[in-house]
Amino acid sequence: MRSPEEHFVQLEIIIQRHAAALEAEVRALQADDETANWPPDWKRYYNWRFSQIFASVKIFRNWGADAAAWKLLPSRVYPNRGNQKD
């Protein structure tokens, strides 16, 4: 049996490895589809839809809720309405 510290070291390695792979795939898709060149309305919808997809994955939703409950997430302000459907 591992100690809690050893467990969390391994847990962090696992999460970082998968986060890096996920980011690389998303960035590659964005580059392929040239999302940086999309018009502002498309980008606004993209932000809204991306957030919706991310939050719909149970593990991210659960972990995000835990992080929010522990007040580990930075406060965010979206004054430009950047994450809206329309």
Side-chain angles (χ1 to χ4, degrees), residues 43-85:
K43 288 179 182 179
R44 185 171 57 242
Y45 179 73
Y46 178 92
N47 288 340
W48 178 84
R49 186 71 192 274
F50 186 95
S51 298
Q52 184 183 42
I53 291 168
F54 186 86
S56 70
V57 177
K58 184 177 181 181
I59 197 164
F60 296 140
R61 185 178 65 240
N62 289 348
W63 291 347
D66 289 345
W70 285 99
K71 300 191 185 324
L72 298 174
L73 300 178
S75 61
R76 303 225 179 227
V77 177
Y78 297 102
N80 65 354
R81 300 179 30 184
N83 283 349
Q84 294 187 4
K85 185 174 181 180

Side-chain angles (χ1 to χ4, degrees), residues 11-59:
L11 183 60
E12 186 173 2
I13 290 168
I14 291 167
I15 291 173
Q16 289 296 337
R17 182 178 60 237
H18 290 286
L22 178 60
E23 182 177 11
E25 280 192 67
V26 170
R27 297 284 184 210
L29 179 62
Q30 290 170 332
D32 289 347
D33 292 336
E34 300 178 2
T35 60
N37 298 324
W38 286 1
D41 286 345
W42 288 19
K43 288 179 182 179
R44 185 171 57 242
Y45 179 73
Y46 178 92
N47 288 340
W48 178 84
R49 186 71 192 274
F50 186 95
S51 298
Q52 184 183 42
I53 291 168
F54 186 86
S56 70
V57 177
K58 184 177 181 181
I59 197 164

